Amino acid sequence: MYSNIDSEACLAVMTEYLKKEDTRKRFPHYHPDALIEAISIVLRSNVMKFGDIFVRQITGVAMGINPAPPLATIFFALHEDFIFNKWKQCILLNRRFIDDGLAFWIHQQPFERDEECWKRFQEDINNYHGLEWTFTPRAQSVDFMDMTIHIQNNRIVTDLFEKKMALYLYIPPHSAHPPGVLTGMVMGQVLRIFSLCSRIEDIQRHIKNFHDRLTRRGYSPSDLLPLFEKAARNAEAYLSKSDTEIAADKAKKKEENSKRIFFHLKYHPNDPPSRVIQKLFRECIMQPEGEKPFRDVRNSGGQQIPIERLTICYSTHPNLKSMLSYRKISRRSLKVSSFLKDD
């Protein structure tokens, strides 16, 4: 989607939207002229290096840059809001994640009118600065993102979508990764299964499959069982929370993160474990024996230093993949510029 966006049209649409009085009242935290200028730089001045040449992108939004997802989302959402309001008699619900969209269609009577409405709806969606969307045939079941959605007995049923050719090559236990990687993998995947599956039998099936795949990768069932039990309890507790409780937890976590310091290390299984480093941090920094606790120390401005926790962030050492994979154009090969034709 990014590269197909008309950059000049995008800039014009975003300029009009950001300067509207309603938009400025709703989002008073930004300066419209400064933001429009920043968007203009992103759309008109993107320069990329390829081999020995530099090229400037003359149309589209550059893929891989931070502003690309929100810019593309908002650009089409302004058209989307108008279209779905126009066709509200046919659309029960619609959702979109960047360039993947989903909508529930209300059939019209008679059949001929329904087909005509469906055709005109697609034409309206695609009538926007050259962006063209591919529509799948309407059906009672659809794969959307990482879940499958069914309509059964006038109810929406969801299930986890998995590709048939997926190999499930989870990190094996003998790999040099921190111990917390397995815990995070199990906790995250179990929560994902609980969140996306609406039927208990599907939840049980996917959790069993996940467990079996990990054992085939070499993990011990005796090590996995307590992790899976903890993950299931965590998922049930999280999904039972109200929106207010979840918002409060996020605010609390944000406050805690503001009092956290990060220590980046390359992980090696023979190095001192993280608990040893944490113990040294507490004994030597936070509460040194015979010295003032860190929380009572003031900086040069007389202010308290808001640090209460240490988080150890591990990264991997260079491995065979990073050393041998083809990542850069060899200097010994022909230059990219040699393939360009002179005008």
Side-chain angles (χ1 to χ4, degrees), residues 162-324:
E162 296 178 314
K163 293 182 178 180
K164 294 181 179 179
M165 298 297 291
L167 299 178
Y168 305 104
L169 300 178
Y170 299 111
I171 296 171
H174 58 266
S175 180
H177 283 77
V181 168
L182 176 62
T183 301
M185 184 164 55
V186 172
M187 298 288 283
Q189 180 68 351
V190 170
L191 177 58
R192 176 169 171 256
I193 292 170
F194 270 81
S195 301
L196 297 183
C197 300
S198 57
R199 296 180 298 200
I200 186 63
E201 56 268 30
D202 291 330
I203 293 175
Q204 294 171 345
R205 173 170 56 87
H206 286 299
I207 288 180
K208 182 180 183 304
N209 289 341
F210 179 43
H211 176 274
D212 292 345
R213 289 161 186 159
L214 288 176
T215 57
R216 284 196 293 269
R217 293 294 286 170
Y219 290 98
S220 168
S222 60
D223 292 334
L224 293 176
L225 183 57
L227 285 178
F228 272 78
E229 291 176 342
K230 180 181 179 181
R233 291 193 299 269
N234 175 75
E236 291 173 341
Y238 177 81
L239 295 175
S240 66
K241 293 182 178 180
S242 64
D243 292 341
T244 303
E245 291 174 318
I246 293 175
D249 288 344
K250 287 183 177 179
K252 181 180 178 181
K253 187 174 183 180
K254 184 177 181 180
E255 174 67 19
E256 291 175 349
N257 287 340
S258 67
K259 301 177 181 179
R260 187 189 306 263
I261 189 171
F262 296 93
F263 184 34
H264 291 262
L265 287 174
K266 295 286 187 181
Y267 178 76
H268 192 285
N270 293 334
D271 286 342
S274 59
R275 65 177 181 273
V276 173
I277 301 174
Q278 292 282 8
K279 183 174 182 293
L280 291 172
F281 177 75
R282 290 191 298 269
E283 294 177 351
C284 300
I285 304 295
M286 297 305 297
Q287 295 179 334
E289 185 178 356
E291 300 289 341
K292 184 184 295 185
F294 188 79
R295 62 176 176 271
D296 295 335
V297 176
R298 305 287 171 169
N299 60 21
S300 59
Q303 301 297 317
Q304 184 180 15
I305 303 173
I307 300 297
E308 296 181 358
R309 295 185 61 185
L310 171 70
T311 296
I312 301 172
C313 303
Y314 286 113
S315 58
T316 60
H317 285 279
N319 53 30
L320 289 177
K321 179 180 178 181
S322 60
M323 299 295 291
L324 300 177

Side-chain angles (χ1 to χ4, degrees), residues 5-14 43 75 128-129:
I5 292 177
D6 185 322
S7 52
E8 293 302 320
C10 180
L11 182 59
V13 168
M14 295 300 296
L43 293 175
F75 172 64
Y128 191 63
H129 301 294

Side-chain angles (χ1 to χ4, degrees), residues 38-79:
I39 294 173
S40 175
I41 293 173
V42 168
L43 293 175
R44 291 174 171 171
S45 305
N46 182 57
V47 177
M48 297 168 286
K49 182 178 184 296
F50 181 60
D52 65 327
I53 68 171
F54 290 88
V55 294
R56 182 173 70 87
Q57 187 166 348
I58 60 176
T59 187
V61 179
M63 297 178 64
I65 60 175
N66 290 338
L71 193 58
T73 298
I74 296 172
F75 172 64
F76 191 75
L78 299 175
H79 173 63

